Amino acid sequence: MNIILFERDELVSGRLTLRDHRARHIVKVLRSSPGDSLRVGEINGRRGRAEILSMVKKYPFMVELRVDLTTEADAPPVIDLLLALPRPIMLRRILSQVTALGVGAIHLINANRVEKSFWEAGITDEAEYRPHLIQGLEQAVDTRLPAVYLHRRFRPFVEDTLPELLHGYESFVVAHPESASSLKECLANRKGRVLYGIGPEGGWVDFEVERFMEAGMKDFSMGPRILKVDTATVAIHGRISQLLEEL
Amino acid sequence: MNIILFERDELVSGRLTLRDHRARHIVKVLRSSPGDSLRVGEINGRRGRAEILSMVKKYPFMVELRVDLTTEADAPPVIDLLLALPRPIMLRRILSQVTALGVGAIHLINANRVEKSFWEAGITDEAEYRPHLIQGLEQAVDTRLPAVYLHRRFRPFVEDTLPELLHGYESFVVAHPESASSLKECLANRKGRVLYGIGPEGGWVDFEVERFMEAGMKDFSMGPRILKVDTATVAIHGRISQLLEEL
């Protein structure tokens, strides 16, 4: 936790009273004392510092802070993720990892090789997935939550939603090991927003790749090595970030 | 498991008899039958196909294969990792992820912010870490195990071992959020082998960065976002791979 984040309605007259895992973290991990200053931020808002006014260092922990927000939130990241819904344990890790790396939006979509049961898992509820996004922000010292969208049916998504969505991007690419193109060719020296797509374990089926191509997306391969979804999602974010930095 | 791997001494007169998790995988996940052909490979050796001669589809599982190895192992990856020993649960994940991405060697080193207890964890024994490397190979359809080296003392490593080690590389870079250089500047259009260094949670201390610089390594930053060790290790592998592809 490299920044203490809070919800807007937790702040009352510039004061914040924490009694949950954040209070515990301040006591047990940071080992702070009254008078100490901490990095804080309002979720989807500004960052700043907070001074510890009072605290209870034993369970049940309590930390009272006077908050001074001074820095506007960073501009939203220019990379968004289109991800075939992975199994819940992997989704949790990916959500916090890509939030830490920086994504503006995460579109979770259905695909032939997505197990139906994944859509019934609790992690598709905002109350369940939001804490993993917040973990990523706490790690990366960011305040801006990625937007998460769930698209439970592939065909309506790809035919009705995707073409409209792509207007918001300069580049839209989908990882597909059988492609003959490289990522660099697909980005084609275009500055601006990028949407990148990652398939399910076992990959996209041909029908899905064809629909993406029809919608105007470009497919790319990174060579013959087959990667797990979480590894691919993070490694490709790194590759796209590197390419964008060079423009 | 995208390839079934075996040790050289398991192969007897071109036949392989599996009775462990690999047999279970062939029965339960691949749902194969006698006569089916599978992708197989000898660890640190050649790849090929195997035909199922006979099998027991109930516990205790057994699969007998006739093996035909035809393809030489890939050349070793040109990227190696220098990693401050992370906590065991994270090390396991990193070992399989970087093996899947492709690394030739993994140097695990001590650092000021490495907890001493991590060196006592079972995962630093070859018998414990090797299965995680093999998992990465099974994922990526590779046969070549990365070499793993443990350097339990920072100073002898950086003063005696590292300068010699660096002769094997064209580029040697170390991630350090406070650096003013980009990764691209550090690689400087050099083809060839790259060693990249990732610090512990909390980062390298100044003394360590100074020793790396003295040994000739270059530090780089990817901006202000603070990443977990596993996220950074995978994302930077992606960035280096992207840069090398463009040379």
Side-chain angles (χ1 to χ4, degrees):
Chain A
M1 214 184 278
N2 296 308
I3 183 170
I4 307 289
L5 295 178
F6 58 87
E7 307 281 353
R8 177 163 305 183
D9 64 9
E10 289 186 284
L11 197 64
V12 179
S13 311
R15 306 257 171 130
L16 185 62
T17 305
L18 306 177
R19 300 176 188 278
D20 57 9
H21 65 285
R22 295 169 295 179
R24 188 182 186 285
H25 181 84
I26 292 167
V27 172
K28 292 294 220 180
V29 181
L30 302 181
R31 297 173 193 226
S32 305
S33 295
D36 286 357
S37 168
L38 304 171
R39 194 151 48 184
V40 297
E42 180 184 297
I43 293 172
N44 286 322
R46 289 177 299 162
R47 293 196 301 266
R49 310 283 310 178
E51 185 196 341
I52 300 178
L53 298 176
S54 67
M55 62 197 302
V56 177
K57 290 194 178 188
K58 284 185 192 163
Y59 183 83
F61 305 104
M62 188 282 291
V63 177
E64 192 192 7
L65 298 161
R66 181 169 50 219
V67 171
D68 184 23
L69 299 178
T70 51
T71 311
E72 292 300 320
D74 296 330
V78 296
I79 302 176
D80 290 353
L81 173 63
L82 175 69
L83 180 66
L85 186 70
R87 66 181 60 250
I89 192 172
M90 186 167 279
L91 178 57
R92 284 186 196 102
R93 192 156 63 228
I94 292 174
L95 289 177
S96 65
Q97 287 192 302
V98 294
T99 303
L101 288 163
V103 292
I106 302 166
H107 293 270
L108 297 169
I109 71 167
N110 197 22
N112 186 273
R113 296 200 177 112
V114 169
E115 283 186 32
K116 282 197 180 60
S117 64
F118 296 170
W119 288 107
E120 310 313 319
I123 189 66
T124 59
D125 293 337
E126 185 173 359
E128 293 256 347
Y129 66 68
R130 202 164 186 270
H132 300 282
L133 304 176
I134 291 175
Q135 268 180 32
L137 295 180
E138 288 167 344
Q139 175 65 39
V141 194
D142 191 3
T143 61
R144 198 184 287 273
L145 275 181
V148 175
Y149 304 96
L150 280 76
H151 307 278
R152 288 170 184 268
R153 294 173 60 214
F154 180 81
R155 211 160 169 153
F157 169 74
V158 81
E159 291 180 355
D160 305 333
T161 309
L162 185 60
E164 187 68 27
L165 185 66
L166 295 184
H167 289 310
Y169 299 92
E170 265 63 55
S171 308
F172 10 92
V173 298
V174 58
H176 182 50
E178 292 165 35
S179 169
S181 303
S182 73
L183 180 59
K184 179 164 187 161
E185 288 162 0
C186 291
L187 290 193
N189 290 320
R190 287 201 199 97
K191 274 200 186 194
R193 301 184 63 75
V194 178
L195 178 70
Y196 78 107
I198 304 284
E201 298 286 339
W204 307 108
V205 299
D206 289 343
F207 171 80
E208 291 158 354
V209 177
E210 287 160 17
R211 292 295 85 72
F212 288 130
M213 302 299 103
E214 276 178 18
M217 296 187 80
K218 295 188 190 303
D219 63 340
F220 72 95
S221 166
M222 303 185 296
R225 304 182 83 89
I226 304 173
L227 300 176
K228 285 199 178 189
V229 172
D230 52 350
T231 311
T233 303
V234 172
I236 293 171
H237 193 290
R239 283 173 174 259
I240 294 171
S241 301
Q242 187 61 45
L243 283 165
L244 291 177
E245 269 181 25
E246 294 166 30
L247 295 175
Chain B
M1 213 184 279
N2 295 308
I3 183 170
I4 307 288
L5 295 178
F6 58 87
E7 308 281 353
R8 178 164 305 183
D9 64 9
E10 289 185 286
L11 197 64
V12 179
S13 310
R15 306 258 172 129
L16 185 61
T17 305
L18 306 177
R19 300 177 190 277
D20 57 10
H21 65 284
R22 294 168 295 179
R24 188 181 185 287
H25 181 84
I26 293 167
V27 172
K28 292 295 218 180
V29 180
L30 302 181
R31 297 173 194 228
S32 306
S33 295
D36 285 357
S37 167
L38 305 172
R39 194 149 49 182
V40 298
E42 180 184 296
I43 292 172
N44 285 323
R46 288 178 298 165
R47 294 196 302 265
R49 309 280 313 175
E51 184 194 342
I52 300 177
L53 298 176
S54 67
M55 60 198 303
V56 178
K57 291 194 177 188
K58 285 184 193 164
Y59 183 84
F61 305 105
M62 188 282 291
V63 177
E64 191 192 10
L65 298 160
R66 182 168 50 219
V67 171
D68 185 22
L69 299 178
T70 50
T71 311
E72 293 300 321
D74 296 331
V78 295
I79 302 176
D80 290 353
L81 173 63
L82 176 68
L83 179 67
L85 186 70
R87 65 182 62 248
I89 191 172
M90 187 167 277
L91 178 58
R92 285 186 196 101
R93 192 156 62 227
I94 291 174
L95 289 177
S96 66
Q97 286 192 302
V98 294
T99 304
L101 287 162
V103 291
I106 301 166
H107 294 271
L108 298 170
I109 71 168
N110 198 22
N112 185 273
R113 296 200 176 111
V114 169
E115 283 186 31
K116 284 197 177 59
S117 64
F118 297 170
W119 287 107
E120 310 313 318
I123 189 67
T124 59
D125 293 338
E126 184 174 359
E128 293 257 347
Y129 67 68
R130 202 164 187 271
H132 299 282
L133 303 177
I134 291 175
Q135 268 180 32
L137 296 179
E138 288 168 344
Q139 174 65 38
V141 195
D142 192 2
T143 62
R144 199 183 287 272
L145 275 180
V148 175
Y149 304 95
L150 281 76
H151 308 280
R152 288 170 184 268
R153 294 175 59 213
F154 180 80
R155 210 160 169 154
F157 170 74
V158 80
E159 291 179 357
D160 305 333
T161 309
L162 185 61
E164 188 68 28
L165 184 66
L166 295 184
H167 289 309
Y169 299 92
E170 266 62 54
S171 308
F172 10 93
V173 298
V174 57
H176 183 48
E178 293 166 35
S179 168
S181 304
S182 74
L183 180 59
K184 181 165 185 160
E185 287 161 2
C186 291
L187 291 193
N189 289 319
R190 287 201 200 95
K191 273 199 187 192
R193 301 184 63 74
V194 178
L195 178 70
Y196 78 107
I198 304 284
E201 298 286 340
W204 307 107
V205 299
D206 290 343
F207 171 82
E208 291 159 354
V209 177
E210 287 160 17
R211 293 295 85 72
F212 287 131
M213 302 299 101
E214 276 177 19
M217 296 187 80
K218 295 186 191 301
D219 62 342
F220 71 95
S221 165
M222 303 185 296
R225 304 183 82 90
I226 304 172
L227 299 176
K228 284 200 177 189
V229 171
D230 52 349
T231 311
T233 302
V234 172
I236 294 171
H237 192 291
R239 283 174 175 258
I240 294 172
S241 300
Q242 187 62 44
L243 284 166
L244 291 177
E245 268 181 26
E246 294 165 30
L247 294 176

